[in-house]
Amino acid sequence: MLDVSRVQDGALGLHGVALSLPTVVGRDGGTQVLEPALDAAEQAALARSAQVLRDAWATLGAG
C-alpha cells in the first residue's frame, strides 16, 4: 500500500479530482483505493479541498 495521487473516480464520493489516497499497488499499478474512515467534519473538509483544487484547475483554463 502506498499513498498515490490519481484522479479519483468515486472513492470517498470524489470524482474528477486528483488527490492522494492510500492505494494497493501491484504489478498492474494502483488497483484499489483504500478509503479511510472519516467523520462528518473530515468528509466536509475533504470535499472543500477537492473543490479548491477544481476551482484552481478551472482558472488555468483547463477545466
Side-chain angles (χ1 to χ4, degrees):
M1 180 190 66
L2 298 169
D3 286 333
V4 175
S5 184
R6 60 194 265 181
V7 177
Q8 300 303 322
D9 187 27
L12 296 172
L14 300 170
H15 295 274
V17 64
L19 290 171
S20 295
L21 291 173
T23 304
V24 175
V25 178
R27 77 174 91 168
D28 296 324
T31 58
Q32 179 186 5
V33 176
L34 304 175
E35 298 184 28
L38 302 177
D39 64 28
E42 292 169 326
Q43 183 66 44
L46 180 62
R48 281 192 304 275
S49 294
Q51 191 58 51
V52 166
L53 291 171
R54 285 187 198 98
D55 292 345
W57 183 250
T59 65
L60 298 172

